[in-house]
DNA sequence: TTGTTCCAGCTTTTT
DNA sequence: GCTGGAACAA
């Protein structure tokens, strides 16, 4: 009794319904800021405290490690227990755990290693080259998208038929070759983790039965982001049991471009007919004006399940709109406002600058730096993705598994040890011909004595180094193994010679890697019978590590709209609201993609708690070219009554209809060509010689008879065509 | 083997 | 306009 009350006491009606619903399929449509994670955590607590389930009987799946950590933490706090052993994790993390537990049934080597996307791309590049395929017609990146796209849909190369289309068939051939390569090297990419885990359950009745029995309840966060194979996996686990509890928001689906299937929400309703839908529409985050603007914007999307956020809180301030001259001015304005916020006692960490593309951060960084304002940019290289770290890890991997070709390629000549192109090509050739690993090929080559003495020594030197290191490392603790390779691989000396001031940081990072190994909590992840090194390497690939260390300083947050999802800030600047930038150029001619951009804008607006600034520039340097973009169409979708136009000093209430430059529409565009003859009221007849600028900025140079050269602004001049 | 130059590419991102 | 990678020269 007490327990029930304590779990649902602090919740609103809709949240209570969701948390205390009987054990059945549930679809929770949770708007931004409506307490989604809260519901998830309390639901699990309810099942433990009230329904009497053991935490072992509960599975909770998220997309990011951060979300998983947060959920675990909040659950521990609420239940006052250790949720250590509970299966809370990312799709990839849980899939990895399954594969480690059942490598045989999954048809994997039990020493398999996880490749991150960087590893994957390198492998594909190598493969494309090795097969003599024109990488301008089949760019490795596209090959990677193709392969991952197929895997996301659950399609193996062997299920695919040749189409007679050269492009498709070459892709297919590469997909096949890639699969063979991965099998031979014992490597598994991210998409493969999911696909394999699905096949593991699908093809092994006993394994499936075991997990179906174990997990009485399955919970999914951010369900709108699941792709086909993830949903298929969830369905297998909950087959015939009606015990899938999903939380999501169709309006915040912004990852269709990487395979997320919003249809999964609709299919859920078909596949679990006795499900219950609960909408969480009360928002606890933003002011009324912010919410109403967001609602108005998202209403322009046709494909929606329908949901309208509301709040008990005040309307708050109007949303501010600033029109900048150019991107410099925009950044200046934003930084000026932040300065004021801080002067008025605000915290920098409550402020976020959100943009559509990473390249936009630079202007703001410069201005912030000039004013000595601490800031943090999200989305850079993470610790385990740094080159020096990846190289060190490659040494560890090849020690663990000599046949790991991806790692072999990475370090055979890093640091340089005189293994030239000719030598490695000979090795690659043998490997390809005999379908063996580079390591095995190198051994054969050395035994054949077919290399020059110098090349042979260099290659032998590398193999011996690895052998010697593996020998020495065998008995050592994890951190000692890492220390050993950092010291003996020659990487430190190698980076010491590097110029450009990076040397110091790189060496520090390598030392930090030893620390990371020492801190690595083996038991935490390991119910499996694995050695510590393999777990550490998997951890590195699956977690990526923290971005930057200065987490604790009070600083302004800069990030893309995508990475802002799930976060909230008192003061938000949504910048670069210009057609072509946001919505992105590539998304403007397709309704579905445009709707995704709109959802992205909706995500951005709903990050703001108290104050929201929208900015756009009339002129912007893009790819080295001056452009005059029109204000984003999304701006026009926000009703004028929620907006106020802002200058640097004074606020000006908005009176006129929104797009103040729309009147200079395309009517004149393309009218003037070089050589066009015209007449001007004052200057008489002339010929157009040059044109530049767009829209209001469009100017033409005209050679007037008897008057000479003149530059005229088209928006101010009336010219008669002749 | 290293340094230079040239050239393509250029949304969004986790795992 | 900037960056990373590849090709080429010394």
């Amino acid at each position: 009794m007490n327990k029930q009350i304590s779990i649902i006491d602090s919740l609103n009606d809709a949240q209570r319904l969701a948390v205390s619903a009987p054990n059945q399929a549930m679809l929770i449509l949770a708007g931004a800021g409506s307490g989604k994670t809260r519901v998830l955590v309390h639901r699990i607590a309810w099942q433990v405290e009230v329904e009497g389930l053991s935490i072992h009987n509960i599975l909770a799946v998220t997309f990011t490690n951060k979300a998983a950590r947060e959920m675990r933490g909040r659950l521990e706090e609420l239940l006052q227990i250790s949720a250590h052993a509970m299966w809370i994790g990312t799709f990839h993390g849980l899939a990895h755990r399954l594969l480690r537990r059942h490598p045989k049934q999954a048809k994997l080597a039990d020493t398999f290693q996880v490749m991150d996307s960087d590893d994957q791309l390198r492998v594909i590049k190598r493969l494309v080259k090795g097969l003599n395929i024109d990488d301008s017609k089949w760019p490795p990146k596209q090959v990677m998208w193709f392969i991952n796209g197929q895997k996301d849909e659950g399609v193996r190369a062997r299920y695919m038929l040749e189409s007679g289309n050269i492009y498709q068939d070459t892709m297919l051939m590469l997909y096949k070759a890639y699969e063979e390569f991965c099998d031979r090297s014992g490597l598994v990419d991210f998409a493969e983790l999911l696909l394999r885990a699905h096949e593991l359950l699908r093809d092994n009745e006993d394994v499936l039965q075991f997990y179906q029995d174990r997990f009485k309840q399955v919970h999914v966060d951010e369900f709108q982001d699941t792709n086909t194979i993830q949903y298929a996996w969830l369905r297998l686990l909950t087959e015939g049991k009606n015990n899938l509890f999903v939380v999501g928001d169709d309006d915040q689906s912004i990852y269709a471009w990487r395979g997320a299937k919003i249809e999964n929400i609709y299919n859920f309703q078909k596949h679990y007919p006795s499900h219950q839908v609960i909408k969480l529409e009360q928002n606890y985050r933003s002011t009324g004006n912010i919410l109403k603007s967001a609602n108005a914007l998202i209403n322009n999307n046709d494909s929606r399940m329908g949901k309208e956020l509301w709040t008990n809180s005040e309307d708050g301030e109007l949303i501010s709109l600033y029109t900048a001259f150019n991107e410099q001015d925009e950044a200046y304005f934003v930084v000026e406002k932040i300065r004021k916020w801080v002067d008025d006692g605000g915290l920098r960490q409550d402020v976020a600058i959100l943009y559509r593309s990473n390249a936009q951060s630079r202007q703001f960084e410069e201005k912030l730096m000039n004013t000595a304002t601490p800031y943090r940019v999200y989305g850079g290289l993470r610790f385990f993705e740094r080159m020096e770290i990846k190289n060190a890890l490659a040494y560890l991997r090849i020690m663990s598994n000599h046949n790991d070709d991806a790692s072999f390629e990475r370090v055979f000549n890093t640091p340089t040890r005189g293994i030239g192109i000719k030598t490695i090509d000979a090795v690659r050739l043998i490997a390809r011909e005999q379908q063996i690993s580079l390591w095995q090929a190198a051994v054969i080559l050395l035994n054949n004595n077919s290399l020059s003495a110098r090349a042979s020594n260099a290659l032998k030197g590398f193999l011996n180094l690895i052998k010697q290191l593996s020998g020495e490392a065998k008995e050592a603790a994890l951190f000692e193994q890492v220390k050993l390779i950092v010291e003996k691989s020659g990487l430190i000396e190698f980076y010491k010679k590097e110029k450009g001031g990076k040397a110091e940081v790189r060496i520090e990072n390598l030392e930090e890697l030893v620390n990371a190994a020492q801190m690595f909590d083996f038991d935490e992840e390991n119910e499996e019978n694995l050695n510590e090194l393999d777990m550490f390497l998997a951890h590195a690939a699956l977690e990526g590590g923290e971005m930057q260390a200065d987490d604790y300083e009070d600083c302004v947050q800069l990030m893309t709209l995508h990475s802002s999802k799930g976060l909230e800030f008192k003061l938000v600047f949504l910048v670069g609201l210009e057609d072509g930038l946001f919505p992105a150029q590539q998304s403007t001619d397709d309704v579905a993609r445009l709707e995704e951009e709109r959802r992205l804008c909706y995500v951005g607006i709903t990050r703001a708690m108290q104050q929201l600034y929208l900015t756009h520039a009339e002129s912007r340097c893009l790819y080295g070219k001056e452009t005059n973009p029109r204000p984003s169409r999304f701006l026009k979708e926000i009703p004028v009554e929620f907006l106020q136009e802002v200058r640097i000093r004074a606020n000006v209430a908005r009176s006129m209809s929104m797009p103040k430059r729309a009147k200079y529409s395309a009517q004149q565009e393309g009218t003037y060509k070089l050589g066009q003859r015209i007449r001007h009221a004052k200057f008489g007849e002339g010929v157009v010689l040059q044109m530049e600028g767009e829209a209001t900025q469009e100017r033409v140079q005209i050679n007037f008879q008897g008057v000479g050269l003149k530059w005229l602004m088209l928006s101010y001049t009336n010219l008669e065509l002749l």
Side-chain angles (χ1 to χ4, degrees), chain A residues 6 21 83 182 188 226-227 234 297 329 414 441 544 570 670:
Chain A
S6 73
C182 291
V188 173
T226 50
N227 65 28
L234 291 169
L297 176 89
D329 180 39
T414 313
K570 287 184 181 162

Side-chain angles (χ1 to χ4, degrees), chain A residues 117-232:
Chain A
S117 1
D118 178 62
D119 298 329
Q120 189 187 19
L121 186 60
R122 282 164 162 270
V123 164
I124 291 170
K125 272 186 189 163
R126 201 55 270 145
L127 217 55
V128 169
K129 260 215 187 100
L131 292 166
N132 272 326
I133 286 166
D134 182 353
D135 64 358
S136 64
K137 287 202 184 98
W138 290 270
K141 265 214 181 110
Q142 275 184 37
V143 178
M144 183 163 90
W145 293 333
F146 176 87
I147 293 175
N148 290 341
Q150 298 302 327
K151 289 189 180 186
D152 286 347
E153 291 296 308
V155 182
R156 288 278 180 208
R158 63 173 170 278
Y159 304 148
M160 299 179 68
L161 299 173
E162 303 230 325
S163 63
N165 170 315
I166 295 193
Y167 178 80
Q168 282 291 322
D169 291 348
T170 307
M171 284 293 188
L172 179 54
M173 187 267 282
L174 284 165
Y175 185 12
K176 279 188 178 138
Y178 174 75
E179 276 189 327
E180 280 162 22
F181 172 88
C182 291
D183 283 343
R184 203 163 53 235
S185 308
L187 294 169
V188 173
D189 63 49
F190 287 136
E192 182 74 24
L193 284 171
L194 302 174
L195 181 52
R196 259 322 147 130
H198 176 256
E199 290 170 347
L200 168 69
L201 298 184
R202 188 195 60 192
D203 301 339
N204 296 276
E205 188 60 38
D206 51 329
V207 178
L208 178 61
Q209 194 65 51
F210 177 83
Y211 289 101
Q212 281 181 347
D213 290 345
R214 169 167 177 173
F215 297 124
K216 311 278 189 239
Q217 276 287 299
V218 178
H219 306 81
V220 186
D221 191 15
E222 307 276 20
F223 185 64
Q224 78 282 350
D225 288 338
T226 50
N227 65 28
T228 301
I229 199 73
Q230 286 163 336
Y231 180 51

